[in-house]
Amino acid sequence: MGEGPGASQAQWGPTFSWRALDLWNLSIFSRWLGRVQIRRAWGGGSPLYSRGTGACSDSLWGACACSVPGDLSEMPEPGKKPVSAFSKKPRSVEVAAGSPAVFEAETERAGVKVRWQRAGSDISPSDKYGLAVEGTRHTLTVRDVGPADQGSYAVIAGSSKVKFDLKVLEAGKAEPVPGPASAPTEAPGAPGEALASATEVEGGSPSPEGSSSAAPDGPSAPDDPIGLFVMRPQDGEVTVGGSITFSARVAGASLLKPPVVKWFKGKWVDLSSKVGQHLQLHDTYDRASKVYLFELHITDAQTTFAGGYRCEVSTKDKFDSCNFNLIVHEAIGPGDLDLRSTFRRTSLAGGGRRISDSHEDAGTLDFSSLLRKSSFRTPRDPKLEAPVEEDVWEILRHAPPSEYERIAFQHGITDLRGMLKRLKGIKRDEKKSTAFQKKLQPAYQVSKGHKIRLMVELADPDAEVKWLKNGQEIQMSGRCGGSRASSGDAGEAGLLPTHLPCLSTHALLVRPALIPSLHLLPFLSQCNSPSFCFFPAPPLLIFCGSHFLPSDQWPLLLHSKYIFESIGTKRMLTISQCSLADDAAYQCVVGGEKCSTELFVKEPPVLITRPLEDQLVMVGQRVEFECEVSEEGAQVKWLKDGVELTREETFKYRFKKDGQKHHLIINEATLEDAGHYALHTSGGQALAELIVQEKKLEVYQSIADLTVGAKDQAVFKCEVSDENVRGVWLKNGKELVPDSRIKVSHIGRVHKLTIDDVTPADEADYSFVPEGFACNLSAKLHFMGEEVLWGMGPLSLGPAFTVVPIALPSLAEVKIDFVPRQEPPKIHLDCPGRKPDTIVVVAGNKLRLDVPISGDPAPTVIWQKTITKGNKIPAGPAPDADAAGDSGASDEWVFDRKLLCETEGRVRVETTKDRSIFTVEGAEKEDEGVYVVTVKNPVGEDQVNLTVKVIDVPDAPAAPKISNVGEDSCTVQWEPPAYDGGQPVLGYILERKKKKSYRWMRLNFDLLRELSLEARRMIEGVVYEMRVYAVNAVGMSRPSPASQPFMPIGPPSEPTHLAVEDVSDTTVSLKWRPPERVGAGGLDGYSLEYCREGCSEWVDALQGLTERTTMLVKDLPTGARLLFRVRAHNVAGPGAPVTTKEPVTVQEILQRPRLQLPRHLRQTIQRKVGEPVNLLIPFQGKPRPQVTWTKEGQPLAGEEVSIRNSPTDTILFIRAARRAHSGTYQVTLRIENMEDKAELVLQVIDKPSPPQDIRVIETWGFNVALEWKPPQDDGNTELWGYTVQKADKRTMEWFTVLEHYRRTHCVVSELVIGNGYYFRVFSHNTVGPSDRASTTKEPVFIPRPAIKYEPPSYKALDFSEAPSFTRPLVNRSVIAGYNTTLCCAVRGSPKPQISWFKNGLDLGKDARFRMFSKQGVLTLEIRKPCPFDGGVYVCRATNLQGEAQCECRLEVRGEE
């Protein structure tokens, strides 16, 4: 490093010495910092440089170092605003080796000399370089680019210099990259370092050297106490779904009791009542430090949590509060680029939890996520920007008053009187401000969640600006802590926010080498901030107050709620993500002046995102309606049949909010709760129907008769649909009491009666009666006293034993004989006649056929299934005709048999010595048929046919058809299913739903036997769908496909107020009003019909429909008596008709002619010459009368006057009136021998002619008497008077002397002596003054009379006055060390001599006291008084008339 001003340039490094700066650069730097003084070691000592004095201390070249990388030699010239000479600058490019590289630059004007440089040397045209100039466009072409051409280039025009880079890639890897998004720029001579740095960031391992200084200690180093707080909660930011904690520390050393802390959101919402899933409050006490810690913890943050918060702490006699803001950012998708998140530190104090802003400079910067996301960048769509809100007050301010009402109702302003009052205040000329060139607008409006910018223009660009909200100063959202700037962020380009969110000057330090790779330009375009600009060379320092702003706090500024910007004289306040808490009054204060505005935050309408669902419940069940809206915490209203439901009216309804979901809960529904329920929001409504039906008990399994023996157990069991139903067991009609032998159980829906050790006394009728239902389940218990084994036949016990049963009354004797013999095979099935019953199995269930067999030796078992081939042959023996038992049949089907021998799988056969088991797992329709079981051994053969039938639920019916759609009903028809499942269909179940819903509602609980149903209780205008189920003994089929969507629409009601307007010989004119109820189907038009009296055949009066409510029916038979009726039509068809009450006779009605002369035509009608005349006179009369116009008894002639007649009125029209058109007009109305007349007086008026013969009658003193004659033409109207004017002969400027003067003579007074005057007179009438005036021909001179002036004599007055104090001295108490003054006021003539005394001593010669006297105000200034200066001060005034004095006591207190 050098030792003086001429030292060499400082190198890039961790520190930068002020010795490398010359005085010029330091003055520029001071201009950026304002009046900040640079002191030795940033702490104490004498100032090195002060902007106010412009002087630099000799100790400037001492050891004063700061952490500032870079070179400041290229800062702009002092006092001048840097303006670039280029309108388009060249950009850095990447080209393939061997290709040409073209750089273009455009200057602001033509003829500017431009130089191109490479590595500091000028480039001249050659085979390698081509230079071209075309107007303002300058082009540099580098031909046949090679690795040697890679490096830094520059273009210079005047004092502007722009640097750019050329990077050469291999031919196979060349990818043209535009300038703003190019790869990181490499420093000349060190390309490898730049690439290595980029690779290191890509790998996600940022270098620790690039991080800022370590964060200060956490809770062990609290801030200075302010009020009760040791540490106040700071503003915070969180992403949607994240968590954040706000902490407040309160000193408890001086508190006898724990403080009371309350957390609020906005102005009044107490968060203690909101504690739950998303919000928790914690408090702890540290006995060592005697500090209370209060925490507000927010989890799973939502966008609605953003806004202003307040923490209040109070004790017995103290109170303190603190405001802070929470900003909630939307979650970032994979395609989004968030530059701000890249600048956040990778580690925070407190395990990743934000504790306070003082910890935000800890950790390291990680740009790897930004580099990985570079491929996902998408250009910002300007269509996605928030629409610009119209300022209705600005529109009204420039609109004419006739448009006020239309604009007001268009923008929703209903208080027209208040609007006019406010507009009057807006349009009042404001006093010109000395501090503002342009003030804030009176009001701003913004939608909730959008941003708004408030802007003023200052007269002084260096003036300090403060922004206030509701009278409180707006502070920046984050606190800028001091730290040392990092040396790793040095580079060749800088990004300068001209004003960041802090009232003091700020700066920002960014590593320029990373700017292209970080894609800052797209990010800045998203910020919509014009306050960002690029500078070509020097790195920029960013200060917050007198400290450096660390680079890791840049995202904090960019995420601020309030952003302050400065561009020249413009000062802007941007409020982002406006909430209802931002609806307030704002002020901009500059010095002693301020301008105010109001911000109105408009809340968007709350939309319904998921509507209500229809519900069908039983009496006593719980009902819950759920609806989802677009905004969390929105206000909604619940209504039932149009009546609002409130908590105050009944406790039956319970309302619940869960985020965006709203619930209406009815715990136990009754029949009175049935109806239509609606939820209303500010942006729509949702409607649903609740159907409550009587409770009905279904019996799933009834009790059955039992036959049991002695000492056995009898169990009666039933199952019902409601598991909460209790019941009573009866024995022969009497309630059964449980005991040790008789047990009653109830488990879920199953009720069981168990009787152990059955005795003959238990034989009886048993019943189960459910409580609350009129039903009875009965069964009989049979007791079997003796065991009978008759009819069983011999029972084989083995190869040589036979058991023969003998029936005895109480004992069974068994005789066993040994008979050694062979036994033929036998199938032991209880099927008399060898014709077994059909075995029925439900599809899906397991089928197991257990066939006992016998035979000695053991027989072989063969299972076969008979398969029908499907064709008939002439009658013949069918297979196993004997088993079939139908020997008389003439035709039989041809069968084939399939051998079943599998021992594993779904269909399998298992055989043991005494039985054969056939098993089918999950029976299917294909398993149905006749199975043949054959057993064989050497002795013989036996065979049995087993018929298996598989039954299932029916197939789904076809989609139902909808017909006869009405207002709230329709007819649903369907067809039986194609397959009934092997069981007859017992009935059908019908369901419906809204088209946009997923919830089907059952319409019937009892099965429908018919194939149609009239569905009712639907909501008009809602689209529905229907589906049907088929039910048989097995169960319910799958649902049918949904029907075609349909909408219940009813026809409109009948039109109202049908009346006959007019009748002629062949026409009838009718009119009516629209129907009272139109319905959801709208109104397509009206149909009109008529019929003769006494006839029932109606005839259409017009083809098709008409939308008008009046109709003229033509071509009717004269004299016929007709009835007319009108119907309203819509898509549902015609509505009920409205008919005329009485028949209408088609015949002209004779009516006397009568002129209905309007009131304004009964007076004299005045029109100016040239104006049109349009006189309309209505009349009555039938048949159509004849109209005649005359003037003064003569028919009207000429083309200037035209007459237009209609059946109901007549019009006299004159396009341009003339004086000749004045006169009396008569109009006559005639029908046969009846007539009516009226007269109209038309007066066409014009301006009068000028007065005649004006002359001067007399002149005396300062007066002139004039006289004239009335004008020859008065303009056909009365004269209103005359206007008299005078003019000085020298200037000939006319001044009005008299106006509306009625007489023809006047006196003009107050003329100037010696001047000559001309006079003129205008005549006036209703139209206006005459075009010309009558003027005097010669001037009239006012002579000068000979008058001698004698000055008056005055008596000399004596103004001498003794001194007197008009304001005496007052006692004062001041602080030592601060200048103070004593003041009083004295009067006297001549001017009195003033003397000051302290404790009797004259102070005139004491240099520490200064005495002033100005206009009688006396001041004694005491410089830096000390306690010794206290005492009694006397002021004495003396002149020739006397003397006066006053005294006061001064008390000087020590420094506090």
Side-chain angles (χ1 to χ4, degrees), residues 745-875:
S745 63
H746 173 203
I747 303 175
R749 297 180 299 185
V750 177
H751 296 260
K752 187 183 294 185
L753 171 64
T754 305
I755 304 175
D756 297 331
D757 299 333
V758 176
T759 63
D762 295 326
E763 186 172 10
D765 290 330
Y766 291 86
S767 301
F768 175 74
V769 180
E771 292 181 358
F773 296 93
C775 65
N776 188 357
L777 308 179
S778 300
K780 190 174 183 62
L781 175 63
H782 299 277
F783 180 77
M784 186 175 63
E786 55 183 24
E787 298 180 2
V788 180
L789 301 177
W790 293 96
M792 295 182 61
L795 178 61
S796 177
L797 298 178
F801 297 91
T802 301
V803 179
V804 181
I806 302 175
L808 297 176
S810 61
L811 299 174
E813 181 178 345
V814 180
K815 181 181 179 181
I816 302 176
D817 295 331
F818 176 75
V819 182
R821 61 184 175 84
Q822 286 186 342
E823 183 181 358
K826 185 67 175 176
I827 299 176
H828 300 279
L829 290 177
D830 187 12
C831 32
R834 314 301 289 171
K835 187 176 181 181
D837 295 334
T838 300
I839 301 171
V840 179
V841 62
V842 179
N845 292 352
K846 179 179 180 180
L847 173 62
R848 177 187 172 103
L849 300 178
D850 195 344
V851 180
I853 60 174
S854 65
D856 190 12
T860 302
V861 182
I862 301 174
W863 287 81
Q864 293 176 308
K865 180 183 179 184
T866 303
I867 302 176
T868 304
K869 288 191 176 181
N871 58 329
K872 282 189 175 183
I873 61 174

Side-chain angles (χ1 to χ4, degrees), residues 228 250-259 292 313 315-318:
L228 291 173
V250 178
S254 61
L255 302 179
L256 299 178
K257 294 183 179 180
Y292 291 91
V313 56
T315 60
K316 182 178 180 181
D317 55 351
K318 294 182 180 180

Side-chain angles (χ1 to χ4, degrees), residues 502-640:
C502 191
L503 295 180
S504 59
T505 306
H506 290 74
L508 181 63
L509 185 60
V510 179
R511 181 171 180 172
L514 294 178
I515 287 178
S517 64
L518 297 181
H519 311 291
L520 286 177
L521 286 179
F523 168 74
L524 295 178
S525 65
Q526 294 177 10
C527 293
N528 292 329
S529 176
S531 63
F532 292 85
C533 58
F534 280 100
F535 278 79
L540 301 175
L541 301 177
I542 308 253
F543 277 79
C544 179
S546 59
H547 300 280
F548 285 109
L549 177 65
S551 58
D552 64 324
Q553 292 188 9
W554 186 30
L556 176 65
L557 301 179
L558 298 178
H559 283 285
S560 297
K561 173 73 175 180
Y562 303 99
I563 299 178
F564 303 84
E565 299 176 83
S566 171
I567 305 178
T569 59
K570 295 181 180 179
R571 299 294 184 270
M572 287 162 282
L573 168 63
T574 301
I575 307 174
S576 58
Q577 295 182 349
C578 290
S579 62
L580 295 180
D582 297 319
D583 191 301
Y586 291 83
Q587 292 179 332
C588 180
V589 180
V590 178
E593 291 192 30
K594 61 183 179 181
C595 58
S596 304
T597 186
E598 290 186 53
L599 175 61
F600 298 94
V601 180
K602 182 173 63 176
E603 194 168 6
V606 180
L607 305 179
I608 295 177
T609 57
R610 191 173 69 187
L612 298 173
E613 303 284 352
D614 294 338
Q615 297 201 32
L616 175 63
V617 297
M618 307 299 295
V619 173
Q621 289 185 344
R622 184 176 184 269
V623 180
E624 182 173 355
F625 287 102
E626 179 181 325
C627 182
E628 187 173 343
V629 298
S630 59
E631 185 173 344
E632 186 172 347
Q635 296 295 328
V636 300
K637 288 196 304 184
W638 288 94
L639 297 92
K640 177 181 181 291

Side-chain angles (χ1 to χ4, degrees), residues 258-575:
V260 178
V261 172
K262 293 183 178 181
W263 300 84
F264 295 87
K265 184 177 189 298
K267 297 180 180 178
W268 54 271
V269 179
D270 190 352
L271 297 182
S272 61
S273 61
K274 306 295 183 181
V275 172
Q277 178 183 359
H278 299 284
L279 186 144
Q280 295 87 33
L281 302 178
H282 304 286
D283 60 282
T284 57
Y285 178 68
D286 187 358
R287 296 185 180 274
S289 60
K290 295 183 179 181
V291 172
Y292 291 91
L293 173 63
F294 299 90
E295 292 183 329
L296 168 65
H297 186 59
I298 298 176
T299 59
D300 191 16
Q302 305 297 324
T303 54
T304 55
F305 294 179
Y309 289 78
R310 185 171 77 256
C311 177
E312 292 184 357
V313 56
S314 60
T315 60
K316 182 178 180 181
D317 55 351
K318 294 182 180 180
F319 175 83
D320 201 357
S321 67
C322 174
N323 296 329
F324 57 98
N325 294 324
L326 173 62
I327 301 176
V328 181
H329 300 282
E330 294 289 343
I332 302 174
D336 296 332
L337 175 63
D338 187 5
L339 177 66
R340 297 169 289 183
S341 62
T342 306
F343 284 87
R344 295 194 180 100
R345 297 291 172 179
T346 57
S347 63
L348 292 174
R353 185 186 66 175
R354 165 177 272 162
I355 299 177
S356 68
D357 293 328
S358 60
H359 298 91
E360 289 185 356
D361 53 354
T364 57
L365 294 176
D366 185 4
F367 295 94
S368 59
S369 60
L370 185 64
L371 296 176
R372 286 194 296 268
K373 293 181 181 178
S374 60
S375 60
F376 296 100
R377 288 187 301 107
T378 56
R380 186 173 181 86
D381 189 357
K383 297 179 181 179
L384 299 180
E385 295 291 337
V388 179
E389 295 287 344
E390 291 185 340
D391 187 359
V392 62
W393 300 108
E394 189 67 19
I395 298 175
L396 287 168
R397 194 166 66 87
H398 295 91
S402 59
E403 296 291 323
Y404 285 171
E405 185 175 1
R406 179 186 63 80
I407 298 173
F409 284 104
Q410 182 177 355
H411 289 79
I413 299 177
T414 57
D415 186 6
L416 299 181
R417 183 175 296 177
M419 180 195 72
L420 293 175
K421 184 177 180 181
R422 181 169 179 175
L423 277 177
K424 184 178 180 181
I426 292 176
K427 292 192 172 184
R428 187 182 298 117
D429 294 337
E430 298 181 358
K431 181 180 178 181
K432 185 172 180 61
S433 172
T434 59
F436 296 96
Q437 291 183 358
K438 182 178 180 182
K439 294 187 176 182
L440 294 171
Q441 297 181 10
Y444 295 84
Q445 182 175 347
V446 64
S447 298
K448 182 179 178 182
H450 293 183
K451 68 178 181 179
I452 186 70
R453 176 174 293 170
L454 312 180
M455 184 180 70
V456 298
E457 290 188 15
L458 307 181
D460 182 10
D462 296 330
E464 183 179 359
V465 176
K466 293 183 180 179
W467 294 89
L468 307 181
K469 174 183 177 182
N470 287 337
Q472 296 184 355
E473 184 176 354
I474 302 176
Q475 301 292 343
M476 62 176 295
S477 299
R479 297 174 57 191
C480 303
S483 67
R484 292 166 56 90
S486 169
S487 63
D489 292 337
E492 296 185 2
L495 180 64
L496 175 63
T498 57
H499 196 82
L500 286 174
C502 191
L503 295 180
S504 59
T505 306
H506 290 74
L508 181 63
L509 185 60
V510 179
R511 181 171 180 172
L514 294 178
I515 287 178
S517 64
L518 297 181
H519 311 291
L520 286 177
L521 286 179
F523 168 74
L524 295 178
S525 65
Q526 294 177 10
C527 293
N528 292 329
S529 176
S531 63
F532 292 85
C533 58
F534 280 100
F535 278 79
L540 301 175
L541 301 177
I542 308 253
F543 277 79
C544 179
S546 59
H547 300 280
F548 285 109
L549 177 65
S551 58
D552 64 324
Q553 292 188 9
W554 186 30
L556 176 65
L557 301 179
L558 298 178
H559 283 285
S560 297
K561 173 73 175 180
Y562 303 99
I563 299 178
F564 303 84
E565 299 176 83
S566 171
I567 305 178
T569 59
K570 295 181 180 179
R571 299 294 184 270
M572 287 162 282
L573 168 63
T574 301
I575 307 174

